[in-house]
Every structure is written in C-alpha cells, then in structure tokens.
Amino acid sequence: MTAPFKPDQQSMNTFAAMSGQVEKWRGECIQHFAELQQIIEDLLRLLSGVPVHGSKVRLGQHVGNAFKQLRELTDAKGPFASPGKAISETLAEIAPWFEWRAHLTHGVLTVWRGRNDKWLIAFAHRPIGEDVVRTYALTWEEARNMQKLLKERIAAARDDALSLVKAD
C-alpha cells in the first residue's frame, strides 16, 4: 500500500499564493470584459439614434449577441463600415478571446503545478443549452498575455467607439 502524499508547508504556501494570483487575474479579466460590454451597449444605443441606419440596431441583447451585432454593423458590408473600420478591426482581434468571458464568469477554475514548475489554469464550463462541458487550459504565461491583450484591445475599442460616434 502506498502512503498518501502530504505536501510540505512551503509547497502549500506556494500553491496558495499562486491560487491568489490566479483569482486576481480572473477578476481583472472579468473587469476588462465588463468594460467591453459597457462600450458595446453604449455604442449600440448611440448608433440606434443615427438617421437611416440606426433602425438596423437591435438593443437589449445578451452580450454575445450584442458583440456579434456590432461586428456585423461595422464590418466591410455593414451600414457603419466606413466610420466603423477601426472598431471592426479591434473587435476582430478580441473575438478569439471572447468565449473566455463565459469561462471566466461561470467556469470552474482549477490551478495546477505542471512539469518544470509551470503553472496551469484550467476552466470547465457548460454553455447554456449544451450537453458538453468545455474544458480549456492555459499556462500562467499565456493567461498573463491574454490579460495584457484584453487590456490593450479594450482600451483601443473605447477610443475607436469615440471616433465612430464623432464620425456620425
């Protein structure tokens, strides 16, 4: 029979510290997505008042649908294509990370210490109406890079939204 593994106090302290850093990272990423949601809602509200094309804007949608709608309104074939080019490009850069919003807010978070002392962050989340639980993992370095990208791109989205409002 094998004796149960009992981590030493230093390992426990290191794990607790890393878990705290990961929770802080998670909260900061959620804050970035909340800011993006506010930018999207405010911009859609303003665009809905624009003569002619404003009637194409649907208000009061869930954040995922609102994000998709803003991308459609500002893409190359959308009614706000010309003045919305900059925000369209910024939203395209954010899009691959947008699914992480649900994982950050609703996912079960696990922190692992992997090979060569690399920390891994894993999320398990079941999207509404789906039978499958989606599981994703990031290294701590990838997670920090994601946070940096979100912060930079959401700041750009804020600036792009202001430019779009001034253009119309």
Side-chain angles (χ1 to χ4, degrees):
M1 182 170 167
T2 306
F5 172 73
K6 291 185 181 179
D8 59 59
Q9 190 60 43
Q10 182 179 358
S11 294
M12 291 301 292
N13 290 344
T14 301
F15 181 79
M18 188 63 195
S19 294
Q21 285 184 321
V22 169
E23 287 296 344
K24 182 178 184 232
W25 164 85
R26 182 184 201 178
E28 289 171 359
C29 288
I30 291 169
Q31 180 64 29
H32 293 315
F33 278 115
E35 183 178 353
L36 177 62
Q37 182 175 345
Q38 191 66 53
I39 291 166
I40 291 168
E41 289 172 358
D42 289 348
L43 185 54
L44 288 174
R45 190 169 287 105
L46 290 168
L47 291 177
S48 72
V50 172
V52 181
H53 298 303
S55 63
K56 296 177 181 172
V57 178
R58 295 176 311 280
L59 299 175
Q61 299 183 77
H62 290 287
V63 66
N65 293 334
F67 181 82
K68 180 180 176 187
Q69 179 188 197
L70 186 56
R71 289 193 68 200
E72 291 169 355
L73 290 168
T74 59
D75 75 6
K77 296 179 183 178
F80 298 97
S82 181
K85 186 176 190 293
I87 197 163
S88 179
E89 291 171 358
T90 300
L91 294 175
E93 292 174 16
I94 295 170
W97 294 103
F98 195 78
E99 186 176 344
W100 274 96
R101 182 192 152 278
H103 293 282
L104 290 164
T105 56
H106 306 294
V108 175
L109 171 69
T110 307
V111 178
W112 300 74
R113 189 175 198 168
R115 290 189 179 124
N116 301 321
D117 285 333
K118 285 202 175 199
W119 289 95
L120 301 173
I121 304 164
F123 286 92
H125 170 65
R126 177 179 287 126
I128 295 173
E130 292 189 20
D131 294 331
V132 177
V133 175
R134 295 183 186 183
T135 304
Y136 293 101
L138 292 169
T139 66
W140 179 237
E141 183 179 346
E142 290 169 328
R144 296 293 294 165
N145 288 338
M146 179 183 107
Q147 180 185 19
K148 182 180 177 195
L149 176 129
L150 285 175
K151 183 177 181 178
E152 291 169 355
R153 295 295 77 209
I154 292 171
R158 187 183 327 97
D159 294 342
D160 296 341
L162 289 171
S163 295
L164 176 57
V165 169
K166 289 177 183 176
D168 277 332

